[in-house]
Amino acid sequence: MMLERLAPEQHDTLDEVPEPSENPHLFGHEQAASMLAAAYRAGKLPHALILAGPVGIGKATLAFHLAHYLLTNPDHRTAPEAFTAPNPQSALFRQVASGAHPGVLHLTRPQNDKTKGFKSVVTVDEIRKVSRFLSMTSHDGSYRVVVVDPADDMNTNAANALLKNLEEPPARTLFILIVHAPGSLLPTIRSRCQTVRLTPLDDESLLSALDSAGQPAPDEPQARAALVERAGGSVRAAILLTQYGGLEIAEALDRVVGNGHAGIAAAHKLADAVAGRDSSIQFDIFNRRALDLLADTASEAARNSDLPRAKALSDAWHDAQNAISETETYNLDKKQHVLAMIDRLNAAMRM
């Protein structure tokens, strides 16, 4: 069955997979949802939340389910004890999903008019929309919800602009920052938000979420178990692994790294596979795997008390992250980026 797409396309949209704003199903995170509902019912919901956790586990979906809960229960004293699944046929659901509801502002990476893709950061112009949004009076006294997704992607100017909004928010306003790595945020932003840490989905929730998204796991038990293990509790990771060649890309990169000159032909083959005009998702998978290799090796060095190597690998991770950002921002040659990244990984692993 074809997905009826309501939400605008975003930088990380996957074909036939619902966006968080148009997903009526929430899997896992029962404890967090219960805590947020209890805080609201007690009149103690903070004005700003950080939903922190790995990519693809449902943080933004939880944010939109919380927005629905607030909008459908304007009086906290009579709100139910638990979130109820939004009705996909309701006007409220369709307005929120399409970005047309006057009480919900969803900020993410904007489109890049030059490349026809998306910018690599959440820009200050996006954050400036908050002031205009909050200046409009809520006619029925309902909550207004601002979702920044992901807040990790804000550049410095955007972060400083958001900080001003967080300092004196209007009543009945909730900021929800979707964050993959809380350490990437300004400490002054973190100090003004309550952090809710979300964990990867358990196996049952992950498989149920995949079924719900129309992307079921393989029937064969061994393949199913391998997918669950490599996905790490992330629905997005599982879909990328199965539908976009993620397993093959990760395995190819793992083979190439460490082979030095012997792996040159394989490196070029991998670069051709992930750097094509229509391979933006594969390119992203490659970059994420490269970062994971550096992060995992740094963690292993730290566990072995080899702190100089851990520091060098951490620096290499930051350099790799900057190279990815520059390639996306300036539309640089992707094949050259891939080959340079492989060289970077080989050098880092020899440290």
Side-chain angles (χ1 to χ4, degrees), residues 166-337:
L166 291 174
E167 285 171 345
E168 294 183 13
R172 296 181 70 76
T173 298
L174 175 64
F175 288 86
I176 308 178
L177 278 54
I178 309 301
V179 180
H180 309 318
S184 66
L185 291 181
L186 292 174
T188 43
I189 288 180
R190 293 202 304 271
S191 69
R192 286 168 171 77
C193 304
Q194 179 176 323
T195 298
V196 178
R197 297 189 181 277
L198 303 179
T199 56
L201 299 181
D202 60 38
D203 294 357
E204 183 180 350
S205 296
L206 175 66
L207 293 171
S208 296
L210 288 172
D211 285 338
S212 172
Q215 309 286 328
D219 290 330
E220 199 275 311
Q222 192 170 353
R224 194 178 181 90
L227 174 63
V228 167
E229 181 180 357
R230 293 202 69 152
S234 165
V235 179
R236 182 177 181 83
I239 293 171
L240 293 177
L241 287 167
T242 55
Q243 305 299 324
Y244 291 87
L247 279 171
E248 292 81 358
I249 292 167
E251 289 169 357
L253 180 58
D254 292 356
R255 286 196 300 270
V256 166
V257 172
N259 277 351
H261 290 297
I264 290 177
H268 278 267
K269 183 178 180 182
L270 175 58
D272 288 335
V274 303
R277 184 184 297 272
D278 299 319
S279 303
S280 59
I281 291 176
Q282 287 79 2
F283 184 67
D284 184 53
I285 292 170
F286 167 87
N287 284 322
R288 288 192 180 280
R289 180 58 184 166
L291 293 174
D292 285 347
L293 281 173
L294 289 169
D296 292 346
T297 311
S299 297
E300 183 182 5
R303 286 195 297 272
N304 293 332
S305 300
D306 189 349
L307 299 186
R309 185 164 191 254
K311 171 68 166 59
L313 285 161
S314 177
D315 290 344
W317 185 94
H318 285 288
D319 289 343
Q321 180 72 68
N322 289 336
I324 293 167
S325 180
E326 288 176 3
T327 299
E328 292 177 342
T329 301
Y330 301 113
N331 203 24
L332 303 180
D333 187 304
K334 288 185 176 180
K335 181 171 182 179
Q336 288 304 314
H337 166 87

Side-chain angles (χ1 to χ4, degrees), residues 99-238:
H101 194 282
V104 180
L105 179 64
H106 183 204
L107 301 177
T108 184
R109 294 190 200 176
Q111 286 194 299
N112 187 326
D113 294 333
K114 292 180 181 177
T115 65
K116 304 305 178 186
F118 290 84
K119 294 188 177 180
S120 60
V121 294
V122 176
T123 61
V124 68
D125 286 340
E126 288 298 292
I127 301 301
R128 283 178 180 146
K129 293 177 182 178
V130 174
S131 295
R132 293 195 295 273
F133 172 71
L134 296 181
S135 69
M136 294 183 286
T137 305
S138 175
H139 296 299
D140 57 359
S142 296
Y143 252 84
R144 284 171 296 181
V145 181
V146 178
V147 180
V148 185
D149 175 23
D152 312 63
D153 287 352
M154 289 188 296
N155 62 20
T156 303
N157 289 339
N160 286 325
L162 180 67
L163 183 58
K164 292 178 181 177
N165 292 124
L166 291 174
E167 285 171 345
E168 294 183 13
R172 296 181 70 76
T173 298
L174 175 64
F175 288 86
I176 308 178
L177 278 54
I178 309 301
V179 180
H180 309 318
S184 66
L185 291 181
L186 292 174
T188 43
I189 288 180
R190 293 202 304 271
S191 69
R192 286 168 171 77
C193 304
Q194 179 176 323
T195 298
V196 178
R197 297 189 181 277
L198 303 179
T199 56
L201 299 181
D202 60 38
D203 294 357
E204 183 180 350
S205 296
L206 175 66
L207 293 171
S208 296
L210 288 172
D211 285 338
S212 172
Q215 309 286 328
D219 290 330
E220 199 275 311
Q222 192 170 353
R224 194 178 181 90
L227 174 63
V228 167
E229 181 180 357
R230 293 202 69 152
S234 165
V235 179
R236 182 177 181 83

